[in-house]
Amino acid sequence: MASTLVLAAPVRNPAHSAAEPGLLITHDRLAYYGDFGRPSRRCLGCWAFYLSMDVPFTLHEDGQEARSARFALVPPWTPHRVLPGGTDLAVLLVEPESVDGTALQAMLMATPARRQRTAAALAEGFSNTRSAEADIDIQFFGSALPQRRLDHRIRRVVDLIVSPETAQLSAEQCAARVFLSPSRFMHLFTEQTDTTFRRFRAWKRARRFLSLMAGNPRLVDVALDAGYADSTHLSRSVRNCYGYTPSTLCAFTRGLTVFAQS
């Protein structure tokens, strides 16, 4: 598994102080700036960029000493906890099937100078006007991120899991859709995505919750729409992924400008 990369040098610029709280959601990117609270341990199924515009935050990872940073990249499936020194934090999530992780780290995080440029570009991106219809990578990184090459059968299954209409398909049903035996499918899926089918689908379900919670609907309705059996299942899964209860996440979005891709 890739290691977390952190930056301790200041990244604040007077031009970046204009960053406004908001939430931007597309099918494979999520950008949030605002109150971060003090979440418990979380385990996201995506690349997570954390950026503080002012005082450093504290990053705890399982098996490592806590460290102070103003900018960090945490790889997918890495249990961690982030405690901001202030109140607000900028977070950009990048879905792992959409990007080549090795090339991503080489492009953005390989040297101190690259990490500094990436932090500055993210700060600039959060200070600019956000739109779900804009090119998110251009806005936050200045260029397209390197794409990940997946076996066409696994790419097809990823699309099925992401789509609300087919998100509840079992592994056996997905295997049949791409003409593979269940055992061969499970092996190929793990090989291509670096995680299990069950874990990947659970993350996508939790990710779907973020897209549905805008507008403060009833949690039981969100749970059913996101594919959970009930609000209890929703609460347990969301807390494991994000370190917050669903009600806390919904509270964070109240009063926020929310941009969601159609």
Side-chain angles (χ1 to χ4, degrees):
M1 178 177 289
S3 60
T4 298
L5 300 162
V6 301
L7 181 71
V11 298
R12 189 169 187 176
N13 182 296
H16 300 151
S17 61
E20 295 292 334
L23 175 65
L24 186 159
I25 304 175
T26 73
H27 69 284
D28 55 15
R29 304 287 188 267
L30 183 147
Y32 171 80
Y33 179 69
D35 186 6
F36 196 73
R38 297 181 70 83
S40 59
R41 179 178 177 271
R42 53 173 32 194
C43 187
L44 304 172
C46 62
W47 294 93
F49 293 87
Y50 295 100
L51 175 71
S52 173
M53 303 290 189
D54 41 50
V55 295
F57 55 85
T58 301
L59 175 63
H60 299 260
E61 286 185 89
D62 284 10
Q64 297 189 32
E65 292 185 3
R67 70 199 79 175
S68 178
R70 286 186 172 88
F71 174 55
L73 171 61
V74 178
W77 318 113
T78 303
H80 64 285
R81 191 180 185 199
V82 176
L83 300 176
T87 57
D88 294 344
L89 206 64
V91 183
L92 180 64
L93 306 183
V94 177
E95 294 304 297
E97 73 277 6
S98 71
V99 66
D100 183 321
T102 300
L104 169 77
Q105 293 182 91
M107 173 182 173
L108 301 177
M109 309 293 286
T111 66
R114 290 185 185 181
R115 294 195 288 273
Q116 189 74 44
R117 285 196 298 269
T118 300
L122 282 173
E124 184 68 26
F126 277 102
S127 70
N128 293 334
T129 301
R130 275 154 270 172
S131 168
E133 306 309 321
D135 189 312
I136 306 304
D137 289 355
I138 297 298
Q139 176 169 342
F140 287 99
F141 300 105
S143 62
L145 296 180
Q147 292 187 345
R148 183 169 189 170
R149 296 180 180 274
L150 290 179
D151 180 283
H152 70 278
R153 294 163 295 186
I154 300 306
R155 175 66 67 184
R156 168 63 175 152
V157 170
V158 167
D159 292 341
L160 290 171
I161 295 172
V162 170
S163 174
E165 292 77 15
T166 50
Q168 301 308 309
L169 291 177
S170 67
E172 291 74 16
Q173 290 170 320
C174 287
R177 292 282 186 106
V178 294
F179 307 104
L180 291 173
S181 68
S183 60
R184 173 58 182 152
F185 166 72
M186 297 294 273
H187 176 80
L188 184 62
F189 189 92
T190 299
E191 179 184 82
Q192 290 281 303
T193 64
D194 302 318
T195 191
T196 65
F197 175 87
R198 183 176 181 179
R199 196 181 194 191
F200 184 90
R201 190 175 65 172
W203 162 247
K204 290 303 183 184
R205 187 178 291 156
R207 176 70 158 71
R208 192 175 304 116
F209 165 76
L210 294 180
S211 301
L212 294 170
M213 70 179 182
N216 304 312
R218 293 194 311 155
L219 283 182
V220 64
D221 294 332
V222 175
L224 295 175
D225 289 344
Y228 294 99
D230 50 42
S231 57
T232 300
H233 187 198
L234 166 72
S235 181
R236 182 172 61 251
S237 177
V238 166
R239 189 176 181 87
N240 288 340
C241 284
Y242 301 115
Y244 304 102
T245 63
S247 57
T248 299
L249 281 176
C250 287
F252 282 156
T253 66
R254 294 192 185 105
L256 280 183
T257 301
V258 178
F259 304 92
Q261 193 173 62
S262 58

